[in-house]
Amino acid sequence: MRDILSDLRSRCADGVPFALATVVAVHGSAPRDPGAVMAVDAAGAVVGSVSGGCVEGDVYEVAREVLAGAGPRVVSYGISDDEAFGVGLTCGGTIEVLVRAYATAAERADLAAVLDLIAADLPVAEATVLSGAAETGARLMVRPSDAGAATGTLGSEGLDAAVTDDARGLLAQGHSAIQWYGAQGQRRMQEVAVFVRTYAPPPRMLVFGAIDHAAATARIGSFLGYRVTVCDARPAFATRERFPTADEVVRAWPHTYLASTEVDARTVICVLTHDPKFDVPLLLAALRTPAAYIGVMGSRRTHHDRLVRLREAGADEAALTRLASPVGLDLGARTPEETAVSIAAEVIQHRWGGTGRPLGELTGAIHHPGGPGGAR
């Protein structure tokens, strides 16, 4: 949704009717994950993608039918021998796509409320009925419990209450999923399928050490969708001019800043200072956080010396295994930009559980279902 957020907000604000196709389930290998969207407006303009091109043509036709009044639909696409290059997925997987219209001002206003929260980086979940003993396309917008009651309805008070509870749990974890309920919200029943799509604020990337490698890492972190903070204690180096793509540049001792800022299980920490007086207290603080990834720059000798200092400072062996050092995958990187690609590759590998090996040397599914970093 975020990749076409501005387009969708513009259509809502301008009163342009459109249909929105959303990937709600993926089975096997598929080009896009659940939550990928494509919009088709009344003039036939298209933004976004649900499959990278495999089935967009057919989804376009379904969207036009729905926009013309056919009603919400869930369509499934998979591979078949005679349709592999027609409307089948040539990658071999299957995707399910919900297509619904935002034809009225009220429908667009409801969606605009969700889009505004996403744009403001505020957590929100959207629950939509896919099938069963409730109206397909019925929607419920759910905020965290301290942000007010849910709005909209899925058709019954009991179903709304059950979905609200589950949506808040998924929102806290940053996960989206299809959930099943009874018509009145009963657990362990299969009468109603509800797709809960969560929109959590972007994960954070904390880059410590205001060097050239940090500038390149900040750029690629922003490109990957992280909210990037660069921190260094030296005022001459930690400047907005040197890090124009970072969301914030902080002048502070790294360990002091880390102890005072929010770190969760999606946060990526990149320690590029390779100076013991910064590294040791910073890494001790980092190892006390639930961060998804802690990468540390330096040679193998530097890393060995660093481990000795950390052990002397009280770090235990289990904690030290969390350090990715020397940072990055072995790509033969030389320049700061190449090193940043290497670091980003390791972050992605860690998040999704990849091997880091060339795909041509492997067999089996290309897309991993998830890794220790979880879904975003």
Side-chain angles (χ1 to χ4, degrees):
M1 184 78 81
R2 291 183 188 276
D3 52 349
I4 63 169
L5 183 61
S6 61
D7 293 282
L8 294 180
R9 295 183 79 196
S10 294
R11 282 166 171 74
C12 289
D14 296 341
V16 177
F18 61 92
L20 191 65
T22 305
V23 177
V24 296
V26 169
H27 310 284
S29 182
R32 302 294 303 273
D33 290 328
V37 294
M38 182 179 90
V40 179
D41 68 22
V46 179
V47 292
S49 171
V50 293
S51 73
C54 299
V55 301
E56 259 71 1
D58 192 72
V59 173
Y60 175 86
E61 296 301 331
V62 174
R64 297 283 283 178
E65 293 171 9
V66 168
L67 195 53
R73 290 173 56 187
V74 177
V75 289
S76 179
Y77 298 97
I79 190 169
S80 64
D81 292 338
D82 57 342
E83 294 182 345
F85 294 97
V87 295
L89 289 179
T90 56
C91 57
T94 300
I95 64 172
E96 295 178 41
V97 181
L98 168 68
V99 186
R100 63 156 297 158
Y102 292 89
T104 69
E107 290 169 335
R108 291 189 296 273
D110 287 344
L111 179 61
V114 174
L115 299 177
D116 289 346
L117 291 169
I118 298 171
D121 286 338
L122 295 173
V124 61
E126 185 181 33
T128 308
V129 172
L130 300 182
S131 62
E135 181 184 353
T136 298
R139 295 171 61 249
L140 185 70
M141 184 179 75
V142 181
R143 299 293 315 284
S145 56
D146 60 354
T151 58
T153 182
L154 303 181
S156 76
E157 203 172 300
L159 183 58
D160 289 348
V163 172
T164 296
D165 286 344
D166 290 345
R168 283 174 174 157
L170 289 168
L171 187 58
Q173 300 168 28
H175 294 315
S176 299
I178 293 178
Q179 305 283 87
W180 289 87
Y181 304 89
Q184 300 302 316
Q186 301 95 322
R187 310 287 181 177
R188 301 178 183 176
M189 296 187 70
Q190 303 283 310
E191 294 179 354
V192 182
V194 178
F195 177 57
V196 180
R197 175 70 169 106
T198 65
Y199 301 95
R204 300 189 70 190
M205 175 180 281
L206 307 179
V207 182
F208 294 97
I211 61 175
D212 289 345
H213 289 82
T217 301
R219 287 196 297 272
I220 202 165
S222 296
F223 176 75
L224 292 176
Y226 287 91
R227 179 174 177 80
V228 179
T229 298
V230 176
C231 176
D232 196 296
R234 301 166 296 179
F237 291 87
T239 66
R240 171 55 63 186
E241 291 73 22
R242 298 189 69 228
F243 300 96
T245 64
D247 293 282
E248 58 181 349
V249 179
V250 176
R251 298 173 184 174
W253 278 85
H255 69 284
T256 302
Y257 173 72
L258 183 59
S260 66
T261 195
E262 181 180 355
V263 176
D264 62 23
R266 301 185 302 151
T267 302
V268 166
I269 296 175
C270 298
V271 179
L272 310 182
T273 49
H274 53 81
D275 181 333
K277 70 176 178 290
F278 292 110
D279 286 1
V280 172
L282 172 58
L283 291 174
L284 288 173
L287 291 171
R288 290 192 290 267
T289 73
Y293 171 89
I294 305 172
V296 195
M297 178 172 280
S299 67
R300 298 186 193 283
R301 179 176 178 178
T302 297
H303 180 57
H304 174 76
D305 293 342
R306 183 188 295 127
L307 290 178
V308 171
R309 294 172 186 270
L310 288 168
R311 290 186 183 103
E312 291 173 348
D316 62 56
E317 295 303 317
L320 293 176
T321 62
R322 296 178 60 198
L323 301 180
S325 182
V327 68
L329 296 187
D330 179 19
L331 304 182
R334 293 290 186 272
T335 66
E337 290 74 19
E338 291 174 345
T339 301
V341 171
S342 170
I343 294 170
E346 186 173 47
V347 169
I348 294 168
Q349 177 207 23
H350 183 84
R351 181 179 176 217
W352 295 110
T355 66
R357 294 173 55 197
L359 289 171
E361 296 179 358
L362 304 174
T363 59
I366 292 176
H367 302 284
H368 290 255
R376 193 161 46 129

